[in-house]
């Protein structure tokens, strides 16, 4: 099977592109959904995060309040690193299990892991191919404004917490320019899919 990493900046359109690959028959895992699961009450990661950041990050249902936690870690690089050291190993474990299952079910499958911090964490090196979804920074800001309800300060903190897009593009095997229409993006995805299929 082919193991593919899919990443990009915040609000660059990773999920849109991931859905397009899924429609073409790729098996796709969204790492953000893994994080949501790991933050549920009873999960070891949940307990570790509350122990590390205090009871203030716990939601009323016992899960992790991602908004409160986000406010802490996006302002402070050291806290962000602490969170990543707790969460990333558990995420990686789930990603590897998913790819192992996909490969066992279909040796000719294309398994795609979608994750925001793949280049920052260095885990992009574990994949056969890396796809980076890119768009201009102003477009990222506009999309965040429209969808998140974050303040300008919060938006800037989130963008600043990630590696510049140019650096991610530098290590990519494929780049999807998601600054245009949905159809333009889809054509790029279809072209990349054909190349991935032809590569094994």
């Amino acid at each position: 099977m082919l193991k593919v990493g899919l990443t990009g900046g915040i609000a660059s359109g990773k999920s849109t592109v991931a859905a397009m690959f899924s429609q073409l028959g790729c098996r796709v895992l969204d790492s953000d959904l893994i994080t949501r699961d790991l933050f549920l009450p009873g999960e070891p990661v949940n307990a570790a995060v509350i122990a590390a950041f205090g009871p203030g990050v716990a939601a009323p249902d016992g899960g992790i309040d991602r908004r409160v936690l986000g406010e802490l870690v996006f302002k402070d690089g050291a806290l962000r690193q602490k969170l990543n050291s707790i969460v990333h190993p558990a995420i990686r474990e789930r990603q590897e299990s998913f790819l192992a299952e996909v490969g066992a079910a279909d040796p000719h499958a294309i398994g795609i892991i979608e994750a925001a911090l793949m280049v920052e964490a260095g885990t992009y090196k574990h994949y056969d191919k890396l796809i980076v979804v890119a768009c201009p920074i102003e477009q990222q800001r506009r999309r965040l404004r429209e969808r998140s309800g974050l303040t300008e300060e919060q938006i800037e903190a989130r963008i600043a917490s990630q590696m510049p897009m140019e650096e991610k593009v530098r290590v990519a095997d494929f780049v999807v320019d998601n600054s245009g229409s949905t159809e333009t993006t889809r054509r790029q995805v279809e072209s990349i899919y054909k190349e991935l299929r032809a590569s094994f």
Side-chain angles (χ1 to χ4, degrees):
M1 79 172 274
L2 198 67
K3 298 177 184 179
V4 179
L6 175 66
T7 192
I10 189 168
S12 60
K14 294 182 297 297
S15 298
T16 299
V17 169
M20 290 176 181
F21 277 110
S22 181
Q23 287 159 10
L24 290 168
C26 300
R27 296 290 307 280
V28 180
L29 178 65
D30 178 353
S31 297
D32 197 47
L33 297 181
I34 301 176
T35 306
R36 288 177 193 278
D37 285 346
L38 294 172
F39 281 175
L40 291 173
E43 287 285 342
V45 166
N46 170 292
V49 169
I50 292 170
F53 292 91
V57 299
D61 67 354
I64 300 296
D65 187 323
R66 288 170 62 118
R67 193 165 277 269
V68 172
L69 185 62
E71 275 302 291
L72 293 173
V73 301
F74 284 116
K75 286 178 182 166
D76 187 323
L79 290 181
R80 197 158 61 245
Q81 210 165 354
K82 185 197 278 192
L83 177 65
N84 290 342
S85 71
I86 296 168
V87 177
H88 281 176
I91 290 175
R92 184 83 195 125
E93 203 175 293
R94 301 259 182 124
Q95 290 168 341
E96 286 172 357
S97 296
F98 170 80
L99 290 172
E101 284 171 25
V102 169
D106 179 6
H108 302 291
I110 296 173
I112 297 180
I113 302 294
E114 177 198 341
L117 301 178
M118 194 173 279
V119 179
E120 288 89 338
T123 52
Y124 73 96
K125 295 171 186 168
H126 300 151
Y127 300 96
D128 302 310
K129 299 290 179 185
L130 177 67
I131 301 166
V132 171
V133 183
C135 70
I137 196 162
E138 269 313 315
Q139 211 162 11
Q140 288 177 271
R141 289 187 179 108
R142 190 171 69 247
R143 287 171 180 167
L144 277 172
R145 275 186 213 110
E146 287 168 358
R147 81 180 192 198
S148 66
L150 295 171
T151 66
E152 290 301 313
E153 187 186 353
Q154 290 169 326
I155 287 170
E156 292 309 314
R158 278 155 177 74
I159 289 174
S161 74
Q162 295 190 352
M163 185 181 282
M165 194 79 80
E166 309 79 61
E167 291 184 41
K168 294 188 180 193
V169 165
R170 206 171 294 141
V171 295
D173 295 290
F174 302 100
V175 177
V176 176
D177 176 358
N178 192 35
S179 60
S181 68
T182 304
E183 273 317 304
T184 303
T185 298
R186 194 183 306 280
R187 281 196 295 274
Q188 293 174 73
V189 168
E190 287 170 353
S191 173
I192 292 168
Y193 174 74
K194 282 176 189 163
E195 286 196 54
L196 293 175
R197 268 276 154 245
S199 69
F200 74 110

